[in-house]
């Protein structure tokens, strides 16, 4: 493997934390049973939160609209099972505060809304396809939850020639996309066909990290007679970050402050791809997703197909419960996921995983002075100077931080991970980014 | 000797003539009052007046011929001097002092989670609205102490900001730096304050803090004119602050403090020894 | 020609006005917090030094020596340099307010700057010709600017370092200046004489 790895494509910088995927990589996706209550937040995506369009007491079917999109960068929210709306009120949200949510008491029938119709992608125009994707509420399923239809609406002056499917899953622990590629390759291929039609691209690649040889093999076989390349990539975090993935596969570098469309590329997660396939061919809105429940704090790690709105506590219960008191709960991957205050929050469309750590797995090191060892600089995939920017950020020197390209930080956390002095580098840079944006808004 | 006097005098004369000529020819109008005002200002460039620094304030006063804003750190003394320079009536500014309206340090208030990020209140507040369970208490990471131009704020070992009444000039920089608006500007002559900022109901406050205001109304019953209660939070009616002292003993959670009796626990500031220092 | 190059190199590196002759320490410590202002100060000094070298050379050889009053050199030079800087300041303020904003605050500092007077006196001591004086002034000013910019760069970096509390501010700046001066000693022997 090491010989083969040398020739694999990748990006400069990055690092390889122990990936610990073995716990759940061989576990087939299981359907998560129906919880007693579903809390469906109206803010599950980047952009304006949806606006509730149901009231307490109303009966809804699975897939029925419960929140309408507000603006272009926003998506609608749907009921993830049939039942009664018991409340529309602020509930604890993974963001750490109470945000508006639609609470549904399932009736147990899990009946789909009648009249949801699929269509043949071949007979639909690109605009119709895009509208279906938007109406199905599809967002980036890798965890960033950026509305998919926005990415699929590039301006006229930015022609897109390459579509990249992100099956890298470089975050340690997570195996949801891995299982998806093994179990639903036909849905991925169906989604690719739809995306190809919308964007009219010349080249399509599926990027997969080399630590998933079975997925590479399976997709290579499935795409042998299609115009799709499967590109094995070096095992390195953050290989799945959009800009790093584009650089590794196409050799094009997204300019500072630019977007992938500036270099003619659109990247979609494989999970998003299956959701698009479901939305177009079967007419199903995005109400469930695959998530990996794992970590040393859970009895039996699993890959579950979960309904949006299922509480994290319920998910943990399906995996045999907790091993002792959890010291850290992370929604998403360990590098970029969000730490949670409690298990009393719902899973959302962006919940790619749930990680539980006990206190012996969460070493707390005291913060020390910067040693100027440069490990963060070597690890930084955005090729900026994390230690310098963080130091400026701490002194509130926003202009200097901006001059050192703080805005190019992708917040992957490699700097903080690699820092021997345990400095909160990415946290400080994120603060600087906020300050820079605030300053720009002020003008 | 004569050569020395003449040549040196000649050089001096030539220079004087050149300078005199240049002063006329290249004269630039500068309002002398602007400079005079700048000289009497504290020159801490704190921005409390709402202008960019002391020079901005001086320029505003000199060019607009009116004193549109007061200089809180300078107080009445400086305002009078400025008024004299400009030949105008001074703006009356009641002397104010910043007060941290919270006593919930780590020993008294519960933590929602263990915060490990950047040691800064603004950064901590962004992570799930701060590590303290109380949504409006002092986070204790010292952002206000770092912005204070007068070194008037200290952080107690248990993580509570305390403002020295002797050093605070009332510039208000800390007020705008605090992400939770825990710091309030209060009249300097009032020494009794309700040191709590939580508008939550009593039961909730009791859950997360030992020393928070629970809105029990006892202070209002004891000294009806000196207190008012709004949204479960008592506050001193500063027009009648003289009557407030009687309620201190009655407060069940001890969240009313007279600064004449000392600063909150853990502070190294010594209690004011006289009313002038205290207020 | 070789002489002129040697004078230039020697004035910039070997006998750097700030770091080897320890002249002009006030602006060196005072306006070296940011590279931009340090560069501005350096430019202002370059200008004043060159003009002062020219004027004082003429004063020396056309007034002081002919009248046999060299003992009045110091006072005459101070008089001339001070008036000159004042004149320049007034002209700049009127002609280019932008440049005045950038340089203006430094100009009064230069009036009493010992580096400028030192340069004028050294020119005479070393018996430089007019051309040599001008080159020496350019070299000295270049050395001053170099030292300022290097030091300002160091201090900008220093702002980011966790300096022990007792060393913060001027203390660590002086330590840094000393180290920089030591570093410049490495140039000794680069030019003979």
């Amino acid at each position: 493997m090491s010989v083969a790895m040398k020739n694999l494509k990748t990006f400069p910088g990055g690092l390889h934390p122990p990936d610990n995927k073995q716990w759940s990589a061989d576990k087939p996706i299981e359907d998560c049973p129906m919880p007693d209550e579903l809390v469906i937040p109206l803010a599950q995506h980047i952009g304006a939160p949806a606006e509730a369009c149901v009231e307490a007491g109303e009966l809804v079917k699975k897939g029925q609209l419960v929140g309408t999109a507000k603006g272009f960068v926003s998506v609608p929210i749907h009921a993830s099972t049939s039942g009664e709306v018991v409340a529309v009120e602020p509930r604890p949200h993974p963001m750490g505060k109470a945000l508006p949510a639609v609470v549904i008491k399932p009736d147990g029938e899990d009946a789909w809304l009648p009249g949801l119709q699929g269509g043949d992608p071949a007979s639909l125009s690109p605009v119709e396809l895009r509208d279906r994707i938007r109406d199905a509420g599809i967002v980036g399923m890798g965890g960033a939850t950026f509305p998919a239809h926005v990415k699929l609406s590039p301006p006229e002056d930015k022609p897109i020639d390459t579509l990249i499917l992100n099956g890298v899953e470089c975050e340690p622990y997570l195996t949801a996309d891995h299982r998806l590629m093994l179990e639903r390759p036909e849905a991925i291929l169906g989604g690719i066909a739809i995306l190809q039609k919308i964007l009219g691209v010349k080249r399509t690649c599926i990027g997969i990290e080399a630590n998933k040889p079975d997925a590479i093999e399976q997709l290579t076989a499935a795409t042998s007679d299609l115009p799709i390349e499967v590109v094995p990539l070096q095992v390195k975090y953050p290989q799945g970050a959009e800009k790093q993935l584009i650089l590794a596969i196409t050799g094009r570098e997204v300019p500072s402050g630019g977007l992938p469309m500036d270099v003619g590329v659109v990247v979609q997660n494989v999970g998003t791809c299956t959701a698009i396939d479901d939305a177009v061919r079967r007419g199903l809105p995005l109400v469930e997703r695959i998530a990996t429940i794992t970590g040393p704090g859970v009895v039996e790690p699993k890959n579950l197909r979960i309904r949006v709105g299922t509480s994290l506590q319920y998910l943990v219960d399906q995996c045999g419960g907790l091993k002792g008191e959890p010291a850290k709960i992370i929604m998403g991957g360990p590098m970029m996921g969000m730490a949670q205050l409690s298990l009393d929050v719902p899973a959302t469309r962006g919940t790619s995983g749930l990680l539980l750590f006990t206190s012996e797995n969460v070493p707390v090191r005291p913060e020390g002075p910067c040693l100027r060892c440069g490990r963060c600089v070597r690890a930084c995939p955005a090729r900026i100077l994390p230690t310098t920017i963080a130091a400026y950020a701490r002194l509130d020197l926003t202009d200097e931080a901006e001059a050192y390209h703080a805005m190019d930080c992708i917040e992957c956390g490699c700097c903080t991970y690699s820092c021997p002095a345990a400095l909160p580098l990415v946290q400080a840079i994120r603060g600087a980014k906020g300050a820079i944006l605030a300053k720009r808004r002020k003008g | 000797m004569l050569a020395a006097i003449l040549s040196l005098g000649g050089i001096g004369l030539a220079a004087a003539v050149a300078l005199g000529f240049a002063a006329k020819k290249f004269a630039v109008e500068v309002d002398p009052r602007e400079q005079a005002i700048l000289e009497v200002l504290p020159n801490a460039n704190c921005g409390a007046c709402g202008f960019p620094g002391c020079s901005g304030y001086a320029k505003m006063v000199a060019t607009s011929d009116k004193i549109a804003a007061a200089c809180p750190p300078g107080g009445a003394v400086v305002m009078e001097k400025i008024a004299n320079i400009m030949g105008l009536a001074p703006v009356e500014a009641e002397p104010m002092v910043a007060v941290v309206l919270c006593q919930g340090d780590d020993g008294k208030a519960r933590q929602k989670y263990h915060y490990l990020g950047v040691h800064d209140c603004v950064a901590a507040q962004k992570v799930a609205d701060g590590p303290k369970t109380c949504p409006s208490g002092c986070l204790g990471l010292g952002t206000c102490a770092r912005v204070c131009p007068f070194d008037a704020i200290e952080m107690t070992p248990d993580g509570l900001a305390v403002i020295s009444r002797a050093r605070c000039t009332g510039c208000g920089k800390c007020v705008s730096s605090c992400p939770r608006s825990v710091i309030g500007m209060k009249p300097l002559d009032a020494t009794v304050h309700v040191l709590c900022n939580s508008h939550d109901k009593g039961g909730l406050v009791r859950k997360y803090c030992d020393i928070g205001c629970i809105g029990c109304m006892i202070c209002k019953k004891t000294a009806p004119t000196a207190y008012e209660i709004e949204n479960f939070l008592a506050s001193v009616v500063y027009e009648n602050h003289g009557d407030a002292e009687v309620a201190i003993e009655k407060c069940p959670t001890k969240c009313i403090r007279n600064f004449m009796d000392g600063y909150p626990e853990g502070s190294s500031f010594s209690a004011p020894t006289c009313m002038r220092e205290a207020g | 020609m070789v002489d002129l190059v040697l004078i230039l190199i020697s004035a910039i590196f070997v006998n750097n006005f700030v770091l080897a002759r320890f002249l002009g320490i006030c602006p060196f410590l005072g306006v070296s917090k940011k590279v931009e202002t340090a560069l501005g100060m350096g430019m202002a000094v370059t200008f004043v030094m060159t003009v002062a070298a020219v004027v004082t050379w003429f004063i020396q050889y056309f007034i002081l020596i002919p009248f046999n009053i060299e003992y009045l050199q110091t006072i005459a030079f101070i008089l001339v340099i001070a008036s000159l800087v004042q004149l320049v300041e007034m002209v700049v303020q009127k002609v280019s307010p932008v440049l005045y904003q950038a340089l203006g605050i430094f100009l009064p500092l230069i009036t009493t700057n010992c580096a400028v007077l030192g340069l004028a006196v050294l020119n005479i001591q070393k018996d430089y010709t007019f051309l040599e004086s001008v080159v020496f002034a350019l070299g000295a000013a270049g050395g001053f600017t170099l030292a300022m910019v290097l030091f300002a760069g160091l201090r900008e970096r220093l702002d980011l370092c966790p300096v022990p509390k007792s060393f913060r501010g001027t203390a660590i700046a002086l330590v840094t200046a000393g180290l920089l001066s030591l570093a410049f000693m490495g140039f000794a022997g680069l030019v003979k004489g």
Side-chain angles (χ1 to χ4, degrees), chain B residues 129-198:
Chain B
D129 286 345
K132 266 201 176 143
T133 314
C134 172
S136 34
C138 174
L139 289 172
L141 297 170
T143 299
C144 52
R146 282 191 289 278
V147 302
C148 178
F150 302 98
D151 207 13
I153 308 181
E154 68 162 0
M155 306 305 301
T156 68
D158 276 342
L160 180 72
V162 179
I163 302 178
S164 161
R165 299 175 68 84
R167 290 189 204 156
C168 177
T169 62
C171 76
K173 263 200 150 174
C174 50
V175 176
S176 46
S177 79
C178 179
R180 290 183 141 196
S181 307
V182 186
I183 306 177
M185 297 305 293
K186 305 291 176 197
L188 183 57
D189 54 358
T191 59
V192 180
H193 302 278
V194 179
L195 297 185
C196 182
N197 192 37
S198 167

Side-chain angles (χ1 to χ4, degrees), chain A residues 9-10 18 35 43 120 149 161 175 194 198 210 228-229 232 234 254 268 286-289 294-295 321 332 342 374 403:
Chain A
K9 290 184 172 178
T10 191
D120 179 13
H149 68 273
D161 61 6
T175 55
I194 296 162
I198 294 174
I228 300 171
E229 302 162 44
Q234 193 178 320
V254 179
Q268 291 286 4
L286 177 55
V287 294
E288 58 183 26
R289 64 159 299 139
T294 182
S342 76

Side-chain angles (χ1 to χ4, degrees), chain B residues 71-268:
Chain B
C71 171
V77 184
V78 166
M79 293 320 290
E80 204 183 312
K81 282 186 192 161
I82 295 176
N84 282 339
I85 293 167
M86 296 296 296
L88 296 165
V91 173
E92 285 298 326
E94 196 186 2
M96 302 290 260
V97 68
V99 179
V100 177
L101 300 172
C102 178
Q103 299 189 87
D105 58 22
D106 291 347
K108 301 190 187 78
R110 316 286 168 268
Q111 299 270 313
K112 187 158 58 175
Y113 60 88
H114 186 46
Y115 178 70
L116 291 173
V118 184
H119 202 76
D120 178 81
C121 302
V122 179
Q125 178 66 13
K126 282 187 188 147
V127 182
D129 286 345
K132 266 201 176 143
T133 314
C134 172
S136 34
C138 174
L139 289 172
L141 297 170
T143 299
C144 52
R146 282 191 289 278
V147 302
C148 178
F150 302 98
D151 207 13
I153 308 181
E154 68 162 0
M155 306 305 301
T156 68
D158 276 342
L160 180 72
V162 179
I163 302 178
S164 161
R165 299 175 68 84
R167 290 189 204 156
C168 177
T169 62
C171 76
K173 263 200 150 174
C174 50
V175 176
S176 46
S177 79
C178 179
R180 290 183 141 196
S181 307
V182 186
I183 306 177
M185 297 305 293
K186 305 291 176 197
L188 183 57
D189 54 358
T191 59
V192 180
H193 302 278
V194 179
L195 297 185
C196 182
N197 192 37
S198 167
H199 284 284
D200 283 331
K201 286 184 186 167
L204 208 52
V205 174
R206 271 186 193 282
K207 260 188 207 152
Y208 55 62
C209 188
D210 299 338
I211 197 160
C213 173
I214 52 174
C216 64
M217 313 283 279
I218 291 177
C219 53
K220 175 124 178 107
K221 281 174 199 141
T222 316
T225 55
Y227 291 94
E228 60 184 358
I229 314 252
E230 200 182 333
N231 284 336
F232 313 101
L233 177 63
S235 58
V236 175
V237 178
Y238 288 102
E239 290 88 64
N240 307 319
H241 67 83
D243 307 334
E245 205 171 343
V246 292
I248 295 176
E249 280 303 305
K250 308 270 185 198
C251 177
T253 58
K254 301 285 168 241
C255 65
I256 309 176
R257 174 173 291 276
N258 184 349
F259 279 90
M260 288 298 280
D261 301 337
Y263 284 96
E265 206 178 302
S267 167
S268 66

